[in-house]
Amino acid sequence: MRTLLVLRHAKSDYPDGVADHDRPLAARGIREAGLAGDWIRAHAPSVDAVLCSTATRTRQTLARTGITAPVEYVDRIYDATPGAVIDEINGVESRFGAAVNTVLVVGHEPAMSAVVLGLSDGRNVSAAQQISLKFPTSAIAVLRPEGAWDQLSLGGAELVSFHVPR
């Protein structure tokens, strides 16, 4: 069974003179990224591979989760379209090998919520409604794709759960 975890980066800081790509986590973000990692370890299968935006706040979020799976930092996930993120997910086996069952994607809004809602088969109306209202920082969506990673497309995954660690 394949599992896709979609994590929005934790709460970031807004220091003066720092470009958006280079913004670090805020104190709250540091704490909540750790909580996100705790939740993932308790409620999801062991992560086999990570696709992470190159932005400082996503890298710091991933580091604070404590997840130690192999990582590819993908510039395309920063300021991404949903299609670009799905395309990166489709390439997971070519990046990490065929033994990848659980993938974590760490990225930004509005792409993360659009990816989750686009991939969802529509059965979990409650979680989809929550996500459509807001995909807060540190939020995690858990999806179960129906087939191989390279075949994942719109409507091709069950939205299992949505959690906001606080």
Side-chain angles (χ1 to χ4, degrees):
M1 182 183 310
R2 298 189 191 284
T3 302
L4 175 63
L5 304 164
V6 178
L7 170 64
R8 182 180 176 193
H9 65 79
K11 181 71 175 162
S12 59
D13 203 357
Y14 293 87
D16 289 338
V18 175
D20 182 75
H21 188 274
D22 301 325
R23 288 190 296 121
L25 291 181
R28 182 181 118 196
I30 291 168
R31 182 180 61 79
E32 290 175 355
L35 294 173
D38 292 343
W39 189 90
I40 289 169
R41 278 186 294 286
H43 296 92
S46 179
V47 175
D48 298 313
V50 180
L51 296 171
C52 183
S53 161
T54 56
T56 299
R57 61 192 177 274
T58 53
R59 288 173 175 262
Q60 290 178 340
T61 297
L62 177 59
R64 293 293 180 168
T65 65
I67 292 168
T68 59
V71 181
E72 287 276 337
Y73 295 99
V74 184
D75 193 49
R76 208 171 158 208
I77 295 175
Y78 174 75
D79 199 25
T81 64
V85 176
I86 293 169
D87 187 52
E88 293 299 328
I89 296 166
N90 289 152
V92 160
E93 288 183 357
S94 65
R95 286 180 187 265
F96 299 101
V100 174
N101 289 316
T102 301
V103 174
L104 170 64
V105 177
V106 185
H108 311 266
E109 271 297 280
M112 295 301 95
S113 61
V115 166
V116 171
L117 293 173
L119 292 176
S120 173
D121 62 12
R123 288 187 279 175
N124 191 337
V125 175
S126 175
Q129 286 176 334
Q130 285 181 289
I131 292 167
S132 67
L133 291 173
K134 186 170 185 178
F135 199 99
T137 54
S138 301
I140 307 154
V142 180
L143 297 110
R144 294 254 162 72
E146 294 174 5
W149 293 115
D150 64 351
Q151 300 299 308
L152 182 61
S153 62
L154 297 178
E158 177 188 359
L159 175 56
V160 176
S161 63
F162 180 64
H163 177 72
V164 181
R166 295 283 190 254

